[in-house]
């Protein structure tokens, strides 16, 4: 077992829990445009449309259960305290539901954020277009997710973790969204071994030292155990 492992997960790890991915055939972005639901401009233009999109995803995520891939990563983290960091691009809570601790670099569906005062609170199942903030009363509650054009969370911490890791593993991500898609290059520049676990080739597969191809619910437990 490598000394310190940094794992990046994407929508593919939650696919077998029934949550749609973004860019596979009939993925989320084939049904709605990023510009209409996943940018600050979209929220300013049509908050009802954006809240409806995230209410639907919040309901789906609440009805989903972790799959063997989530459980295997939680087991790995538990069996090697302090040596396994999970960074997820996903906004579902399936890693936590499996017992893992995780860095949500793109935020989380179960949290709300006040666009006026920055207060965060547990998101209601259904957020209204003008969701009042419990701290400042402004009708400015939004999903606490990172939209396109917004800075992801934990970026400095992730850069430090990548530089100090012995192994970087990307699981179920298409490598199309930055800065997450650039983590493999950061790892390589630091001399870190890299492994990609995916159902298919990704946009950044060529940058990885090793690959395992298959469904996450099979190849992640195989890799962990
Ligand atoms: C920013 C939250 C700047 C909301 C999301 C270069 C550098 C920096 C930025 C950019 C850049 N070039 C372009 C940009 C802009 C942009 C970007 O990357 N655009 C892309 C489209 C080109 N990036 C940004 O805007 C980022 N912000 O850069 O800010 C800045 C600087 C200073 C100050 C302020 C700002 C913010 C990006 C975050 C956007 N939010 N999500 C939500 O979830 O609704 S991103 C969105 O894509 C999802 O969160 C998703 O997690 C993420 C990545 O997608 P994947 O997880 O990879 O999913 P995908 O469907 O694509 O692929 C699924 C994969 O799973 C496939 O590989 C498939 O083979 C595999 N799979 C499927 N089934 C299985 C499986 N694998 C295993 N088993 C299976 N069963």
């Amino acid at each position: 077992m490598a000394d310190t492992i940094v794992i990046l997960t994407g929508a593919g790890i939650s696919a077998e829990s029934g949550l749609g991915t973004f860019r596979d055939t009939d993925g989320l972005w084939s049904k709605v445009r990023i510009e209409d639901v996943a940018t600050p401009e979209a929220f300013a233009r049509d908050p009802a449309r954006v809240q409806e999109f995230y209410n639907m995803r919040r309901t789906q995520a609440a009805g989903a259960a972790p799959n063997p891939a989530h459980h295997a990563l939680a087991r790995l983290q538990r069996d090697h305290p302090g040596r396994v960091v999970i960074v997820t691009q996903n906004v579902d809570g399936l890693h936590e539901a499996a017992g893992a601790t995780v860095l949500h670099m793109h935020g989380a569906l179960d949290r709300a954020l006040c666009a006026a005062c920055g207060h965060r609170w547990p998101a209601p199942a259904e957020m209204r277009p003008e969701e009042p903030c419990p701290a400042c009363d402004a009708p400015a509650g939004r999903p606490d997710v990172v939209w396109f054009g917004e800075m992801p969370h934990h970026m400095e911490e992730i850069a430090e973790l990548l530089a100090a890791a012995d192994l970087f593993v990307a699981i179920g991500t298409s490598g199309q969204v930055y800065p997450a898609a650039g983590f493999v290059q950061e790892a390589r520049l630091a001399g870190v071994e890299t492994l990609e676990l995916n159902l298919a080739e990704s946009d950044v597969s060529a940058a990885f030292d090793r690959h395992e191809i298959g469904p996450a619910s099979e190849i992640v437990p195989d890799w962990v155990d």
Side-chain angles (χ1 to χ4, degrees), residues 54-74:
Y54 285 96
N55 289 342
M56 173 275 289
R57 293 198 38 219
R58 191 175 298 108
T59 303
Q60 280 183 343
N67 66 57
H70 297 104
H71 288 297
L73 294 188

Side-chain angles (χ1 to χ4, degrees), residues 1 5 7 70-87 95-96 98-103 223-224:
M1 152 90 182
I5 303 179
I7 298 168
H70 297 104
H71 288 297
L73 294 188
R75 194 163 58 246
L76 182 71
Q77 201 176 51
R78 190 186 55 240
D79 295 349
H80 302 282
R83 293 169 50 197
V84 179
V85 175
I86 301 171
V87 178
H95 283 298
E96 297 93 322
T101 55
V102 65
L103 292 174
W223 170 66
V224 165

Side-chain angles (χ1 to χ4, degrees), residues 63 110 117 195 218:
D110 62 3
C117 75
L195 166 66
E218 291 172 20

Side-chain angles (χ1 to χ4, degrees), residues 9-13 15-16 20-24 28-29 34 37-38 53-54 57 88-91 105-107 109 145-152 171-180 197-203 214-217 219:
T9 64
I13 199 169
E16 290 161 275
T21 62
F22 293 87
R23 295 172 185 83
D24 290 320
L28 276 168
W29 297 145
I34 287 173
V37 292
F53 176 65
Y54 285 96
R57 293 198 38 219
T88 190
Q89 299 173 89
N90 299 340
V91 291
M105 64 179 288
H106 289 167
L109 282 168
V145 299
V146 176
W147 284 324
F148 287 89
E150 295 185 321
M151 179 55 89
I171 302 174
T173 179
S174 64
Q176 295 186 39
V177 175
Y178 287 83
L197 306 181
N198 201 309
L199 190 61
E201 286 256 307
S202 75
D203 273 30
S217 67
I219 63 174

Side-chain angles (χ1 to χ4, degrees), residues 181-206:
F183 290 171
V184 61
Q185 289 302 353
E186 285 182 52
R188 290 183 69 85
L189 285 174
V192 177
E193 187 189 348
T194 55
L195 166 66
E196 183 179 56
L197 306 181
N198 201 309
L199 190 61
E201 286 256 307
S202 75
D203 273 30
V204 290
S205 287

